[in-house]
């Protein structure tokens, strides 16, 4: 990886994959994320003065304190989804892969519905675990089904198995919900995808899973670059592709499973952010994944901030806003150049 | 172009498949309607009743009344008429999908349980048709124009008078009374119910004039405060008992909206003496209290919240009827009193 020193002015429409070397881009991203964090702490349905943070017992202090976990959650979940999405696209070599594709969201949703309906668990801190286990089981099941037959778990078979499982599990979920209105009410709140209203306790419990997932996914970047050459070539280079897939897959499950359990399904980020990053730095995963993390965090957080103010005094959940805010950004990147291949 | 028409066709097919709603569990329809314990007023028929979708013309006294609306079954029973079918109560009902106050009245009348139809998905038009009704009631409901049209082919339908889900119980009762030719009895039942509420008002001086918010907080998303507006039947029951809608709720009620939500960051502005919310588990109350934002709601801060997990009582108060009001006064009002007094 050679780094070119960027000029001290904004580069004029650089070509794809060149001119935007890693370091300045990373610096820029860190800046954007920091800006988003500040905005997330200061902007909301109710205007508060930043000074309130030091006024004990004031309403403003409570509001800023409540925005803190929300901000942290936006950063980690946005980053997790974007990285997992990038990994999935590499693993399945399918540009349309997103965390919803492999049945992860469907599994998490179904497990959560079972938790509420059968076990009578009514609170987030309780069913978060079910959602997580459901996501993991779905992924394992998809991988097992895809591994049948010749050639093992090929990308195409993974996608097929994921789509089939999603459809099947979604119908089970619907069956439970039709019989149980109380569960439907709980699910309705969770299914939109939100980073608001979660306390530190839930976030801190989930953090280790996210960290392990991120380590597995980011260290898998080289693996993905090799897999991108095709299985035969990768094997020829001495990679054990099956083991590689399981390791990266585990990272994906940890990231998306935890993110989905925490916030409900948030779409768009995992699908689109890696593509945006590829238009900047090309398709090497060693660069795509870390930058996706920053991009995902910034996009999710900004989407949440916009969702807080466009419809005041109510809020629009981030699961809705990521797409609304994300589409124009995505179009801008598309216009800058052709999508990088996988 | 070709692709576009294909897409249109595909979406049409999808929409159609969504229409093919399923229906569940019906019992065999009896051949005859059940005996009524009351008589229609003389000269009550023919009668026509105006509602949001048109007019129901009823030629002679109905003998087989099917209920599609949510509170119509209670109205009918309070007039001594037993329906042939009722919608399943999926929230706040018992195992069979009926409410205790409905079952008690049924026992008192010595009648059998009508067919219970599951309407979770949509109104099961086929199941209703199987009951062979000569009148269909939906005065407190949200039936769509399409559902109304289908049902009208079976029998005259009395839909809601103005907005869906916004019919005061008195209006429901009056419409049901008219449709069954029991106008006098309906007036009597209404007077009696009003008297019951008056008595409850006298018996509970501590809640008079107190402001309230009727919310529906969810631990799944504490970033917002969903609440019912002054247009809804739920707050109406509490105002009848002498309480007042919170000023914030009044200021944020828009015409035709029975339910709205605000960001939890607005919590401190939701001033009221009493705060009611549904809850799933008993420990939810603690979750609401401890939350940095939700905990700033003045009534919660001051210990005047009631997070009720008793869905049956909440339903009785939330959809008041001549049958459910006494139950609500016994089971729901004491909870308000406790919270208002801050215990």
């Amino acid at each position: 990886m050679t780094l070119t020193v960027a000029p001290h002015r904004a580069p004029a429409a650089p070509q794809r994959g060149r001119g935007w070397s890693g370091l300045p881009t990373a610096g820029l991203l860190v800046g954007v994320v920091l800006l988003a964090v500040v905005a997330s702490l200061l902007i909301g349905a109710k205007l508060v003065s930043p000074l309130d943070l030091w006024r004990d017992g004031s309403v403003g202090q409570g509001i800023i304190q409540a925005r803190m976990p929300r901000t942290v959650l936006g950063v980690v979940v946005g980053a997790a989804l974007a990285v997992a999405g990038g990994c999935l696209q590499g693993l399945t070599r399918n540009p349309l892969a997103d965390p919803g594709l492999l049945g992860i969201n469907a599994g998490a949703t179904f497990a959560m519905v079972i938790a509420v309906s059968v076990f009578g668990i009514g609170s987030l801190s309780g069913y978060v675990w079910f959602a997580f286990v459901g996501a993991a089981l779905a992924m394992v099941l998809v991988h097992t089904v895809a591994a049948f037959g010749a050639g093992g778990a090929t990308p195409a078979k993974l996608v097929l198995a994921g789509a089939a499982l999603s459809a099947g599990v979604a119908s089970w979920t619907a069956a439970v919900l039709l019989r149980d209105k109380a569960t439907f009410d709980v699910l309705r709140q969770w299914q939109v995808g939100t980073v608001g209203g979660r306390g530190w306790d839930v976030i801190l419990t989930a953090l280790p899973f996210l960290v392990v997932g991120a380590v597995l996914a980011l260290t898998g970047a080289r693996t993905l670059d090799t897999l991108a050459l095709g299985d035969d070539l990768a094997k020829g280079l001495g990679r054990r592709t099956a083991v590689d897939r399981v390791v990266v897959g585990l990272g994906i499950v940890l990231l998306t499973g935890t993110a989905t359990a925490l916030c409900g399904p948030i779409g768009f980020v995992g699908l689109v952010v890696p593509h945006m990053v590829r238009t900047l730095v090309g398709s090497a995963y060693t660069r795509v994944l870390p930058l996706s993390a920053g991009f995902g965090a910034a996009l999710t957080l900004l989407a949440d901030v916009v969702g807080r103010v466009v419809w005041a005094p109510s809020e629009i959940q981030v699961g809705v806003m990521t797409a609304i805010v994300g589409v124009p950004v995505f179009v801008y990147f598309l216009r800058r150049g052709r999508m990088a291949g996988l | 172009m070709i692709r576009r028409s294909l897409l249109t066709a595909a979406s049409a097919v999808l929409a159609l498949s969504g229409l093919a709603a399923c229906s569940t569990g019906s019992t065999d329809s009896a051949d005859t309607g059940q005996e009524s314990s009351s008589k229609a007023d003389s000269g009550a028929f023919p009668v026509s009743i105006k509602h949001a979708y048109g007019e129901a013309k009823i030629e002679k006294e109905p003998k087989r009344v099917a209920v599609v609306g949510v509170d119509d079954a209670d109205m009918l029973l309070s007039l001594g008429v037993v329906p042939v079918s009722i919608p399943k109560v999926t929230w706040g009902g018992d195992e069979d999908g009926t409410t205790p106050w409905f079952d008690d009245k049924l026992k008192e009348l010595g009648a059998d349980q009508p067919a219970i139809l599951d309407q979770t998905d949509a109104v099961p038009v086929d199941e209703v048709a199987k009951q062979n009704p000569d009148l269909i009631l939906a005065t407190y409901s949200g039936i769509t124009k399409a559902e109304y049209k289908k049902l009208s082919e079976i029998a005259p339908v009395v839909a809601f008078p103005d907005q869906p889900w916004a019919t005061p119980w008195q209006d429901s009762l009056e419409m049901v009374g008219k449709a069954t030719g029991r106008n006098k009895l309906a007036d009597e039942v209404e007077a009696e119910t009003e008297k019951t509420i008056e008595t409850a008002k006298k018996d509970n001086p501590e809640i008079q004039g107190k402001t309230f918010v009727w919310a529906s907080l969810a631990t799944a998303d504490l970033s917002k405060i969903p609440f019912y507006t002054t247009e809804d039947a739920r707050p109406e029951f509490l105002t009848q008992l002498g309480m007042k809608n919170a000023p914030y709720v009044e200021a944020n009620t828009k015409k035709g909206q029975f339910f709205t939500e605000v960001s939890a960051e607005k919590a401190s502005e939701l001033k009221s003496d009493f705060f009611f919310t549904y809850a799933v588990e008993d420990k939810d109350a603690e979750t609401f209290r401890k939350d940095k934002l939700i905990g700033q709601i003045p009534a919660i801060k001051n210990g005047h919240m009631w997070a009720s997990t008793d869905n049956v009582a909440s339903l009785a108060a939330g959809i008041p009827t001549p049958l459910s009001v006494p139950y609500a006064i016994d089971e729901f009002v004491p909870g308000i009193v406790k919270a208002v007094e801050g215990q």
Side-chain angles (χ1 to χ4, degrees):
Chain A
M1 242 180 85
T2 52
L3 295 177
T4 52
V5 180
H8 287 294
R9 55 186 171 80
Q15 296 148 4
R16 175 173 65 83
R18 284 185 298 277
W20 280 65
S21 51
L23 214 50
T25 315
L28 188 75
L29 258 183
V30 170
V32 172
V33 173
L34 283 177
L35 263 177
V37 166
V38 172
S40 175
L41 289 175
L42 296 183
I43 300 172
K46 198 174 169 77
L47 277 176
V48 291
S49 149
L51 299 175
D52 274 352
L53 188 52
W54 289 274
R55 292 194 189 110
D56 276 337
S58 69
V59 167
Q61 185 189 45
I63 288 178
I64 297 174
Q65 282 175 342
R67 284 177 191 165
M68 285 175 186
R70 183 172 183 160
T71 304
V72 169
L73 197 57
V75 168
V76 295
V77 164
L81 288 172
V83 169
C87 283
L88 259 177
Q89 287 161 8
L91 197 65
T92 57
R93 297 186 48 212
N94 178 335
L96 289 178
D98 81 328
L101 185 80
L102 289 193
I104 294 172
N105 284 353
T109 307
F110 181 63
M112 185 218 141
V113 163
I114 290 296
V116 178
S117 183
V118 178
F119 297 96
I121 296 168
S123 59
L124 179 80
S125 51
Y127 53 67
V128 102
W129 299 107
F130 280 84
F132 179 71
V133 171
L137 280 178
M139 187 89 183
V140 170
L141 200 61
V142 165
H143 195 275
T144 313
V145 171
F148 285 135
T154 59
K157 282 205 280 181
L158 274 175
V159 174
L160 267 177
L165 182 99
S166 291
V169 169
S171 66
W172 293 348
T173 305
V176 175
L177 293 180
L178 279 176
R179 312 209 139 275
D180 184 353
K181 200 163 159 217
T183 302
F184 179 72
D185 279 340
V186 176
L187 181 80
R188 213 165 36 89
Q189 307 284 353
W190 178 80
Q191 212 178 5
V192 192
T194 175
V195 288
R198 276 101 177 98
W200 284 116
D201 50 344
V202 180
I203 298 174
L204 292 177
T205 326
L207 216 48
F209 293 93
L210 287 170
V211 170
V212 174
V215 169
L216 287 177
L218 292 172
T219 50
R222 279 176 199 284
T223 312
L224 290 172
D225 283 336
T226 321
L227 284 176
L229 303 169
D231 272 22
D232 296 341
L233 204 47
K235 282 192 179 112
L237 288 168
R239 303 293 321 189
R240 292 160 61 197
T241 53
V243 179
D244 285 345
R245 281 216 175 84
V246 169
V247 171
V248 177
L250 192 61
I252 294 171
V253 169
L254 286 167
L255 289 174
T256 47
T258 314
T260 307
L262 280 174
C263 306
I266 296 176
F268 200 83
V269 179
L271 173 66
V272 168
V273 167
H275 287 300
M276 291 199 231
V277 172
R278 284 190 195 94
T279 62
L280 293 179
V281 297
S283 25
Y285 281 98
T286 41
R287 274 185 284 178
V288 168
L289 293 184
L291 291 181
S292 290
F295 247 101
L299 178 72
T300 309
L301 210 47
L302 287 173
D304 188 45
V305 172
V306 174
R308 291 179 213 177
V309 290
V310 283
W311 203 26
S314 187
E315 291 181 0
I316 301 181
Q317 281 77 5
V318 72
V320 178
M321 291 311 296
T322 43
I324 294 175
V325 172
V327 165
V329 181
F330 186 43
V331 168
Y332 166 77
F333 277 96
L334 271 182
R335 290 180 55 99
R336 291 173 32 90
R338 212 170 49 77
M339 284 302 235
L342 283 176
Chain B
M1 273 332 284
I2 286 179
R3 192 182 302 177
R4 179 165 301 178
S5 56
L6 263 179
L7 271 179
T8 322
S11 56
V13 169
L14 277 177
L16 279 174
S17 63
L19 285 178
C22 64
S23 66
T24 47
S26 82
T27 53
D28 296 339
S29 60
D31 295 330
T32 53
Q34 306 199 26
E35 282 300 302
S36 302
S37 65
S38 59
K39 287 219 168 6
D41 309 338
S42 58
F45 296 100
V47 67
S48 78
I49 302 165
K50 282 200 172 61
H51 54 76
Y53 294 131
E55 219 172 341
K57 291 190 176 65
I58 304 155
E59 300 300 333
K60 56 186 202 318
E61 186 186 347
K63 291 291 176 209
R64 299 182 57 80
V65 187
V67 168
V68 171
V70 168
D71 72 0
D72 300 74
D74 282 12
M75 302 298 169
L76 204 54
L77 218 51
S78 72
L79 301 177
V81 182
V82 182
V84 289
S85 74
I86 54 172
K88 184 174 183 172
V89 180
T90 48
W91 190 93
D94 55 21
E95 296 275 291
D96 313 331
T98 59
T99 56
W101 50 92
F102 183 86
D103 292 352
D104 286 353
K105 184 74 184 179
L106 211 54
K107 221 182 269 155
E108 190 189 307
L109 296 172
D112 301 330
Q113 194 67 264
I116 299 170
L117 308 182
D118 195 329
Q119 296 190 172
T120 312
D121 208 9
V123 177
V125 179
D126 303 1
E127 305 286 336
V128 174
K130 267 190 215 156
Q131 300 302 327
N132 200 6
D134 48 13
L135 173 67
I136 299 171
L137 295 176
T139 61
Y140 183 76
S141 75
I143 59 166
T144 60
K145 180 122 196 161
E147 284 170 335
Y148 168 75
K149 274 204 171 115
K150 277 192 212 156
L151 289 169
S152 295
E153 289 170 17
I154 304 169
V157 181
V158 186
F160 43 88
D162 180 23
Q163 295 287 334
W165 303 120
T167 318
W169 66 265
Q170 295 91 334
D171 297 0
S172 262
L173 183 60
E174 193 185 319
M175 289 170 97
V176 174
K178 218 170 169 179
T180 52
R182 285 159 174 76
N183 299 294
K184 282 202 195 83
L185 186 55
D187 291 343
E188 282 165 30
V189 170
E190 183 177 340
E192 204 177 309
T193 308
E194 298 279 11
K195 210 168 83 194
T196 311
I197 295 173
E198 263 328 293
T199 312
K201 219 168 149 171
K202 283 200 193 75
D203 291 347
N204 296 289
E206 51 285 83
I207 64 171
Q208 297 311 308
K210 293 280 191 285
T211 55
F212 70 89
V213 176
W214 188 308
S216 174
L217 296 175
T219 53
D221 187 358
L222 292 170
S223 63
K224 57 183 196 204
I225 307 166
F227 58 88
Y228 292 91
T229 70
T230 59
E231 299 215 346
D232 189 70
R234 273 153 276 237
E236 205 155 324
F237 177 65
L238 297 192
T239 52
Q240 279 209 302
L241 284 167
M243 300 184 79
K244 284 209 204 70
N245 276 295
Y248 189 88
V249 174
E250 284 192 336
N252 282 279
T253 295
K254 291 192 186 72
K255 180 109 194 74
Q257 261 195 336
F258 69 92
F259 185 78
T260 189
E261 57 183 46
V262 295
S263 162
E265 297 193 349
K266 295 277 185 192
S268 59
E269 297 175 29
L270 255 93
K271 293 186 176 71
S272 68
D273 301 317
F274 165 63
F275 187 93
F276 174 82
T277 177
Y278 301 110
V280 182
E281 296 177 280
D282 287 333
K283 63 173 202 220
D284 290 356
E286 201 46 39
T287 311
F288 300 145
R289 251 192 298 274
K290 274 199 194 138
D291 187 79
K292 279 259 181 279
L293 297 178
I294 302 282
Q296 289 182 355
I297 294 171
I300 297 183
K301 213 172 177 170
N302 307 330
H304 299 301
M305 168 180 61
W306 181 25
S308 170
T309 54
D310 182 351
N311 294 353
V312 182
S314 299
L315 179 72
I319 303 178
T321 71
L323 303 185
S324 75
V325 161
Y327 187 96
I329 287 168
D330 289 345
E331 304 289 334
F332 192 80
V333 175
I336 306 177
V337 174
K338 248 167 82 176
V340 166
E341 292 189 329
Q343 298 162 1

